[in-house]
Amino acid sequence: MPALDGVRVLDFTQVIFGPAATQVLADHGAEVIKVERPGGGDLARAFGPWIQEQSLPFASLNRSKRSVVLDLKKPEGLDVIHRLLENTDVLAHNFRSGAVMEKLGLDYEALKERYPRLIYAVGTGYGSQGPYVERNKGGHESMAQALSGMADRFIGSDGTPQRLPYAVADFNGGMLLAQGILLALVARGRTGEGQYLETSLLDGMMSMQAWTTSKILNLGDDGEDDGSGGATHPRGNPLDGAVFETVDGFLMVTALFRPFDQLLRDLEAALGIEGLVGDPRFASLEDAKDHREDLRALLASVMSEKTSAEWIPLLEARDILVAPVRSTAEALEDPQLAINEMLVDVEHPQLGTMRHVGTPLRLEGTPPPAAAAAPLAGEHTEVVLRGAGYGAAEIIVLREQGVIH
């Protein structure tokens, strides 16, 4: 039996942040019912590329979920929500403002007495109160990277801060929101009571920098790298995550976890060179930081003489971490992903077999169920309503009234 079998989630989330959280729940057996708006549904459905009408970005984060399309501007639509809430464990949303749910009468304060076991999970850009909320500032991946200091640590070739090219804040926030939901479920198992919980993109990005923030908060910021920036930081360890071009590609090399003079001896042995040890420019790690370009140029000239496949065993023999720099497409071909069961096939009702990256969690005693395709907008409306006790005649009336689609 899956770990979350029997848990029902009413999912108002959209795009990446919220759906990443509820995807964790759906992957492990929760019944996740997406509540989507008429005329488009989840905003992510408008993002391509598409196969026919299926958005691939949407498909990646909505596996095994159900979709109902409801007009919540109509009282009958809200009646459906309340019927569903009678047997719902978790309500989740990531609207910019809580005012959206307040206007619908679906905010936590309005629901907590009527549904005392309900866990109400909210993902925001910055939190539920404060100056950003007061001026209705939109939350977004790029805003979280900029405000958190993350972008300032990644300097482009033109010397300006850069946004990381992946949705780091959204996915990290989603995992935190999922953790909060699971913690609340555990707590409810002891107390019988639901609760409100929230996290934000900004909070998540700050929590990711704990290795850095503790130093700054307690010792101040001296401009030195704390070990998290590595070779990309102007004062980082030049041997931590350094990228070198080989005959046929690029290798990332990390030489750490031993005295610096020993690292140099190991590099000399692996690369078949001499002269690193004893060079006053590299007498210590601090000296090497001051002469990082000299060290990188020396190593780069040697690394360019062999292929990546030739260098990897030589470096690994000295326990120097090394890996080829791959494209995402190349990474998907790694046989380790198949061993880890990370690639899943799902059967789509219109498109046949589709492939996705699946859950990274493997629970031996409560394995996840087989993944199902992301839903078409409103695909499960009638099924969900029947499960909530609506009869065929009632469903026909709701459809005629434009409440369901």
Side-chain angles (χ1 to χ4, degrees):
M1 179 182 296
L4 297 178
D5 185 66
V7 173
R8 171 181 279 182
V9 181
L10 207 53
D11 182 6
F12 291 82
T13 69
Q14 299 191 76
V15 193
I16 300 177
F17 181 5
T22 56
Q23 184 64 74
V24 174
L25 311 180
D27 279 337
H28 292 274
E31 179 191 11
V32 176
I33 301 172
K34 287 186 67 69
V35 180
E36 301 192 67
R37 59 191 172 86
D42 185 332
L43 294 173
R45 291 186 183 274
F47 288 86
W50 299 266
I51 299 179
Q52 296 182 33
E53 64 181 279
Q54 177 70 78
S55 159
L56 293 177
F58 174 87
S60 70
L61 286 178
N62 292 282
R63 299 182 308 277
S64 304
K65 300 178 184 180
R66 292 179 165 184
S67 170
V68 299
V69 173
L70 291 170
D71 187 347
L72 299 184
K73 295 178 181 179
K74 292 181 166 62
E76 295 85 357
L78 290 173
D79 289 342
V80 173
I81 294 297
H82 283 285
R83 185 85 70 95
L84 293 172
L85 282 170
E86 292 173 4
N87 293 293
T88 289
D89 299 284
V90 179
L91 183 153
H93 79 76
N94 65 319
F95 293 120
R96 174 191 293 198
S97 167
V100 175
M101 296 299 267
E102 289 175 13
K103 290 177 181 177
L104 295 171
L106 296 177
D107 56 296
Y108 182 63
E109 291 301 314
L111 299 179
K112 66 179 182 179
E113 292 187 9
R114 185 171 177 180
Y115 309 105
R117 290 176 54 81
L118 180 66
I119 293 164
Y120 197 100
V122 178
T124 68
Y126 313 103
S128 57
Q129 55 187 335
Y132 294 133
V133 178
E134 290 167 7
R135 69 177 194 253
N136 197 30
K137 182 178 177 65
H140 190 268
E141 174 72 35
S142 57
M143 298 298 97
Q145 290 196 26
L147 288 168
S148 66
M150 189 70 74
D152 187 57
R153 295 177 67 82
F154 292 87
I155 306 301
S157 58
D158 61 355
T160 61
Q162 303 290 310
R163 171 187 153 157
L164 279 71
Y166 287 97
V168 180
D170 277 323
F171 278 97
N172 180 59
M175 295 311 99
L176 292 172
L177 191 60
Q179 288 176 33
I181 291 168
L182 295 174
L183 289 169
L185 285 169
V186 171
R188 194 185 67 177
R190 295 197 306 268
T191 67
E193 297 179 357
Q195 61 179 295
Y196 175 91
L197 69 96
E198 68 173 55
T199 190
S200 78
L201 296 177
L202 178 59
D203 294 339
M205 290 299 272
M206 297 309 300
S207 72
M208 286 184 69
Q209 300 177 78
W211 193 283
T212 300
T213 53
S214 291
K215 173 189 171 185
I216 296 173
L217 288 169
N218 293 283
L219 296 176
D221 185 7
D222 59 7
E224 288 285 327
D225 181 52
D226 49 37
S228 62
T232 60
H233 192 284
R235 292 297 298 170
N237 186 331
L239 299 179
D240 180 9
V243 176
F244 298 102
E245 188 170 7
T246 66
V247 169
D248 59 349
F250 292 89
L251 287 178
M252 183 171 286
V253 177
T254 291
L256 296 175
F257 309 121
R258 70 207 83 169
F260 194 71
D261 59 341
Q262 183 61 52
L263 285 176
L264 296 185
R265 283 192 288 273
D266 289 335
L267 277 171
E268 286 184 338
L271 301 179
I273 61 174
E274 296 180 350
L276 296 180
V277 178
D279 189 319
R281 295 174 297 175
F282 318 132
S284 69
L285 176 57
E286 292 306 307
D287 292 320
K289 288 180 180 180
D290 292 334
H291 298 91
R292 61 192 300 112
E293 296 306 321
D294 294 339
L295 178 57
R296 290 170 66 88
L298 194 158
L299 297 177
S301 66
V302 178
M303 296 290 290
S304 65
E305 297 174 355
K306 296 181 186 295
T307 66
S308 296
E310 289 175 312
W311 280 126
I312 289 173
L314 295 173
L315 291 161
E316 288 184 342
R318 293 286 170 172
D319 200 25
I320 296 170
L321 300 176
V322 58
V325 178
R326 295 170 169 167
S327 68
T328 304
E330 291 169 335
L332 288 168
E333 299 296 326
D334 192 324
Q336 188 65 51
L337 295 182
I339 293 170
N340 294 347
E341 300 179 348
M342 278 296 293
L343 301 179
V344 298
D345 292 341
V346 300
E347 293 303 317
H348 192 280
Q350 295 179 340
L351 307 178
T353 302
M354 298 183 70
R355 303 184 73 207
H356 299 288
V357 171
T359 175
L361 299 171
R362 292 178 287 282
L363 282 69
E364 184 174 336
T366 54
L376 301 174
E379 180 179 348
H380 303 98
T381 300
E382 291 195 15
V383 171
V384 169
L385 264 61
R386 286 198 296 271
Y390 283 87
E394 291 177 288
I395 292 174
I396 290 173
V397 171
L398 289 174
R399 190 171 297 282
E400 291 174 346
Q401 294 174 329
V403 174
I404 64 174
H405 297 257

